[in-house]
Amino acid sequence: MKLRSPLSEKDVRQLKSGDTVTLDGLIFSGRDEVHIRALEYAREGRKLPCDLRGGVIFHCGPIMKKVNGHWNVVAAGPTTSSRMNAMEPEFIERFGVRAIIGKGGMSQPTVDAMVKFGCVYLAFTGGAAVLGAEGIVEVKGVEWLDLGMPEAMWELAVKGFGPMTVAIDAHGNSLYKEVDAKVTKNVAVAKKKLGLLG
Amino acid sequence: MRTTKLVEDVTVDLLRMAVTSLPEDVLTALRLAEKEETSEIARIQLRTILANVEMADRRTLPMCQDTGLPVFFVSGRRIPHLEEAVRRGVARATSEIPLRPNAVQPLTRANPGDNLGKGMPHIHFHPSDEDFTEITVMPKGAGSENMSALSMLNPSQGAKGIKAFVLDTVVAAGGKPCPPTIVGVGIGGTADEAMLLAKKSLLRRLDVPNPDPDLRRLEEELKDALNSTGIGPMGLGGQTTVLGVLTEDAFTHTASLPVAICLQCWASRRASARIFKDGHVEYSKEGFC
């Protein structure tokens, strides 16, 4: 399935966990420091340098290189999303983002916020940074570069970005929760087999 | 002077080799996993990984944007001013390859941009009487390193305690360390030594069995158990949670049983070089042993 950002609530509500998607449009990189600063700005009533409404946040700290005064992306895969667990529900609510691209999944409060405000989590294969860079056609700009290259907010135009898996949908379904339930059962069997129980 | 420049150049070569191309044993394990996986989502993850690795190798680009912290192991003949030469190599590699500037001050988070700083890069020295100097680099990403764990078990907990700790740690890490991972386990020593053993065990090739029959059995048992959990590639489910379990041990205190775990993401990057007295250099991605 092909998605195009900015995304509407209807766009994301129709996605189901397990769907495979690619994305065209604009995405913004944002990890630990972007989340911290953006929320500080919002609490102080200051405007963000970019409008994130209907936008897509990419948990990513890319490798960029400046060539002839223009930023080029060298490598851009997802980072571990769980580091943003504590900040993501408020981030989704305040800025109206419709999709988060990352790896490893996010905790229940974020799943709840995705249901409430209409947002999805798209899992992109961790480490697939050359493939990620291949899907980025242009670096549109960068904000907050004082945070350092990995932590800055990069505005990226993408085409055919993916493949990504809808791992948490806007209806509370999460592949991670499904896998967790199976893992709990399997681990009990494995422990028994290893003689670790009783 | 000439040797210093040589070490600097070798450092840049090793980092480029490691971050752009996977060792053959890791590639083989990934290809086999892709063939054997039955879950469609898991196969997509593994196919994406293999396509990405192939593209990175062909274009000499870092396969993952997290080019890690460069961890160095240096053994053999002493070379004067080696540390300074390695530092210069790291800075050059950061701008030339390029690597992501990952090294920051831990409290202020200030990033100088060249992957250098107090204690950075980290070099483990083991001088010996060989007629060459061996340098190995392991760029270590944070996704997997953040899942490291240490447990000071009671000796009475024995092998069962070790197995339970490894299982619990890998399950708690879930999809975060970019599975399929390689699990390094250090057993014995002191707390710090156990951690170093865990990291060093990740330098062994996946297709080279542990010479110790007890450890070999432990590795096989743990690999089977971990792959039966169903965590799968990227934690999205599947039968490939680990590509291997690698252990190293050392004598420990009669009252202690330290166990350390160091997880390595599928991008298990490493490269080694031997620098001989006459300036001749041999390289190996997989390592010489």
Side-chain angles (χ1 to χ4, degrees), chain B residues 248-269:
Chain B
E248 290 257 352
D249 67 345
F251 265 49
T252 190
H253 193 289
T254 183
S256 298
L257 178 51
V259 183
I261 297 171
C262 185
L263 291 181
Q264 178 63 293
C265 55
W266 64 257
S268 178
R269 293 155 287 180

Side-chain angles (χ1 to χ4, degrees), chain A residues 121-155:
Chain A
Y121 181 83
L122 306 174
F124 186 45
T125 308
V130 180
L131 213 65
E134 184 80 358
I136 297 169
V137 287
E138 195 189 347
V139 180
K140 290 285 197 186
V142 58
E143 303 291 342
W144 300 344
L145 195 51
D146 62 296
L147 297 173
M149 182 198 291
E151 299 290 344
M153 180 155 58
W154 297 91
E155 274 178 76

Side-chain angles (χ1 to χ4, degrees), chain A residues 61 77 125-127 130 191, chain B residues 45 52 63 65 100 168 176 266:
Chain A
T125 308
V130 180
K191 282 193 171 174
Chain B
Q45 303 310 312
N52 181 72
M63 65 187 81
Q65 79 289 341
R100 195 173 67 180
D168 291 342
K176 294 191 278 287
W266 64 257

Side-chain angles (χ1 to χ4, degrees), chain A residues 7-13 53-55 87-100 109-120 169-172:
Chain A
L7 298 162
S8 68
E9 180 163 1
K10 191 171 156 246
D11 288 338
V12 299
R13 292 272 182 207
R53 214 143 282 278
M87 301 176 279
E88 211 68 274
E90 187 182 350
F91 197 93
I92 293 169
E93 179 174 3
R94 283 189 186 267
F95 306 119
V97 299
R98 292 281 176 215
I100 289 163
T110 299
V111 178
D112 295 341
M114 288 182 163
V115 174
K116 191 167 174 196
F117 303 106
C119 181
V120 291
D169 66 22
H171 307 284

Side-chain angles (χ1 to χ4, degrees), chain B residues 152-189:
Chain B
M152 302 302 283
L153 296 179
N154 285 323
S156 65
Q157 291 175 275
K160 281 188 181 180
I162 297 170
K163 289 176 200 169
F165 179 53
V166 172
L167 203 53
D168 291 342
T169 302
V170 174
V171 169
K176 294 191 278 287
C178 280
T181 52
I182 300 170
V183 185
V185 187
I187 304 165

Side-chain angles (χ1 to χ4, degrees), chain B residues 91-103:
Chain B
R92 235 180 75 200
T94 302
S95 66
E96 276 181 20
I97 296 174
L99 305 176
R100 195 173 67 180
N102 281 334

Side-chain angles (χ1 to χ4, degrees), chain A residues 60-122:
Chain A
C60 169
I63 303 178
M64 311 297 269
K65 192 170 190 171
K66 214 168 198 174
V67 183
N68 301 326
H70 197 87
W71 285 106
N72 283 16
V73 55
V74 177
T79 194
T80 309
S81 298
S82 65
R83 292 202 313 278
M84 275 58 79
N85 272 341
M87 301 176 279
E88 211 68 274
E90 187 182 350
F91 197 93
I92 293 169
E93 179 174 3
R94 283 189 186 267
F95 306 119
V97 299
R98 292 281 176 215
I100 289 163
I101 302 171
K103 72 171 177 82
M106 301 198 75
S107 61
Q108 192 58 40
T110 299
V111 178
D112 295 341
M114 288 182 163
V115 174
K116 191 167 174 196
F117 303 106
C119 181
V120 291
Y121 181 83
L122 306 174

